[in-house]
Amino acid sequence: MGDFKLTTYEENEAITNRLLETGAKVGADAWQFRVKNQTPHCKFGEQGVCCRICSMGPCRITPKAPRGICGCDAHGIVGRNFLRFTAGGAATHSDHGREICNTLYHAKPEGPYKVKDPEKLIRIAKEWDVETEGKDIYDLAHEMAVLAMGEYGKVFGYQRWLKRAPQHTQELWEKAEIAPRAIDREVSCAMHMTHMGNTSKPEALVRQALRSGMSDGWGGSMAGTEFSDVLFGTPKPIDTEANLGVMVAENVNIVVHGHDPSLSEMICEYADDPEMIAYAKSMGAKGITVSGVCCTSNEVAMRRGIPMAGNFLQQENVVLTGACEAIVVDVQCIFPALGPLSKCFHTKFITTSPICQMPDSDFIRFEADTAAENAKSIVKAACENFKNRKPELVYIPDVKHKATVGYSVEAIVKTLDGVTNSQVDETGTTKPLLECITSGVIRGAVAMVGCNNPKVRSDLYHIELMKKLIANDIVIIASGCSAQAAAKAGLMDKAAKDLCGAGLKRVCELADIPPVLHMGSCVDISRMMILASELAKDSGLNISQLPVVGCAPEWMSEKAVSIGNYVVATGIDTFLGVDPYVSGSDQVAGWLTEGVRDWVEAAYTVELDLEKLGDMMIERIEEKRAAIGI
């Protein structure tokens, strides 16, 4: 083993504590303190047995009061709450996809948004039976954008993307009645079903929860991913860096945060503009550094190599460095606390979307038609703010790691082609990866996804599980905050191969890849569904038979529930390290952990113990290998 060393969560915690000391000097709040104020949490809420969907209550289920005022029992209340949680997540991710489709509609040769991957656009158009011959690429882009936006409210039929799945999987969806219709219809249907006086049968509520999740993963999210690639380029491996040390004390520091790449792409474009760099220098800085937090960071990292400052629970830390001129946000996972926190420093907190308006922020409405002037004004404001820094509050920790990111499905297929001597066709195939798995060189794969959650020591579950899995020759594909946890620690450094078992280490050396492959943002978990589908088609197996599982060890948001539902519905067993608020109903818990297996050949496993969670994933992968005789 070489000299490679990970950054531990203890080291990251020590850095955070140092930053909190700075915050204390100026009276700044932080999530660590707010958690203490909110603990212990409401047990009724944690079990999912509190109902507030009408004003007769709220009703709370106890042994002495086993039914709400309307007569709904714990099973109906827990099921309704779970479905509403799913609907919130499906609406959120799908609305992201809708915005990307809208941006594609505004793409033009002379405009700020252009078609950067015309080949992919043409490929999708042919997939949707749209004539491409002789068409101007921008006319085609506008036609496809309208069709894609039509998927949100289509009158008849099902989501177009479903045909990408293997035939067996499509048949399961049809039989179980979970194939998503119009995206907006599934969210609306979920809200209708859970209105007072409607469904209280757990089985029906869980079924619609899967269907709503499917409208996200095989609908809105897939549109967001695929058309982002068309607009901004399909990711391919690119080197970057991660952790707070990517911020530069001598430069204007702009941090982009949220999920929509339409904003962050334009900020990056103007931060590289020689005119803006000269302007920054005129303000006393040496240049401009853009770094990112959360999924908008993943988006620009995998396409531009923009460094990743941190994930969800690190968003306040970038302000606490005292060196952040502007934190510019779009939508989702943004702490309202950033407003008052920024006022304790010189930082400008800039909100840009009508979907995400917050107190104590400068609101600059960001729209596709005015994207260039909006982005330029934001970068200019950040440059002008450099002179307002307070040097005595500046502390940028000297901690960062190299990371190779940007492993789209296309990139994985191309990269792993070099691992074996297989002859691949011109369109590419996953057979080289399958050969690694069937030969036992790689035991299987885990899709590690999801958030940070203060209920779990930040990043601990992500990092420890990844270390355990790669040591057992299981490759990791990661997205969202899980991917950033890996990058911050060093697990996306190619040198991390030294932490792998002999088989995976050999694959990493031959293919020149890290053991944890960065697949993008949370929306890009749809890429993982495409990859699983291609593996199934190329192997002749069902998706549920592949030695692949999903894991969200520190999940937090409604989006994570929607994601989990579409991953399970696709046929991939999914492991959770945080309870999904269904323990108040053994019936709902039973459907999610076992019953849905009869519908989709996969289910959830909930295990709060870190060691047991890792062991159970390895055991499940080995069971799958044994079942197919490899």
Side-chain angles (χ1 to χ4, degrees), residues 12-126:
N12 279 324
E13 285 177 344
I15 288 166
T16 296
N17 289 336
R18 169 66 178 80
L19 292 168
L20 291 175
E21 290 175 11
T22 302
K25 295 177 184 177
V26 292
D29 192 15
W31 68 261
Q32 289 86 347
F33 308 126
R34 297 191 295 273
V35 165
K36 292 178 182 178
N37 294 337
Q38 288 293 335
T39 307
H41 298 291
C42 172
K43 294 301 178 185
F44 295 101
E46 287 187 326
Q47 294 172 17
V49 294
C50 176
C51 180
R52 49 178 298 278
I53 61 173
C54 81
S55 66
M56 292 191 292
C59 296
R60 301 178 298 181
I61 301 303
T62 69
K64 291 183 179 180
R67 291 184 181 271
I69 292 169
C70 71
C72 192
D73 62 13
H75 310 300
I77 290 172
V78 170
R80 286 173 176 173
N81 287 337
F82 185 78
L83 175 52
R84 284 201 163 207
F85 223 73
T86 304
T92 303
H93 260 169
S94 294
D95 212 32
H96 170 156
R98 191 192 330 250
E99 284 302 309
I100 294 298
C101 295
N102 180 61
T103 303
L104 180 65
Y105 183 76
H106 286 83
K108 47 191 174 184
E110 69 282 3
Y113 295 112
K114 298 176 175 61
V115 172
K116 290 190 176 179
D117 192 339
E119 291 80 10
K120 186 159 193 173
L121 177 62
I122 292 168
R123 193 162 68 244
I124 296 170
K126 290 179 177 178

Side-chain angles (χ1 to χ4, degrees), residues 436-438 440-448 465 468-470 472-477 541 543-551 572-575 597 605 613-630:
C436 290
I437 293 172
T438 55
V441 176
I442 294 176
R443 305 301 296 173
V446 171
M448 194 82 75
L465 288 171
K468 183 169 191 167
L469 293 166
I470 65 175
N472 282 274
D473 291 320
I474 295 170
V475 68
I476 308 291
I477 52 175
L541 299 170
I543 291 177
S544 60
Q545 294 176 297
L546 297 169
V548 175
V549 301
C551 182
I572 301 171
D573 285 307
T574 299
F575 293 74
R597 195 176 296 280
T605 297
L613 184 62
D615 290 340
M616 291 170 81
M617 283 193 285
I618 294 170
E619 181 181 350
R620 187 75 184 107
I621 284 171
E622 292 301 333
E623 286 174 356
K624 287 174 178 281
R625 290 183 64 86
I628 56 176
I630 61 172

Side-chain angles (χ1 to χ4, degrees), residues 9 448 455-467 551-554 576-578 607-611 613 617:
Y9 36 86
M448 194 82 75
K455 291 187 174 182
V456 177
R457 192 174 174 186
S458 183
D459 289 347
L460 172 65
Y461 274 33
H462 291 299
I463 301 307
E464 288 303 304
L465 288 171
M466 288 178 185
K467 285 162 59 179
C551 182
E554 301 180 25
L576 306 178
V578 173
E607 178 51 65
L608 308 187
D609 182 274
L610 174 59
E611 283 301 317
L613 184 62
M617 283 193 285

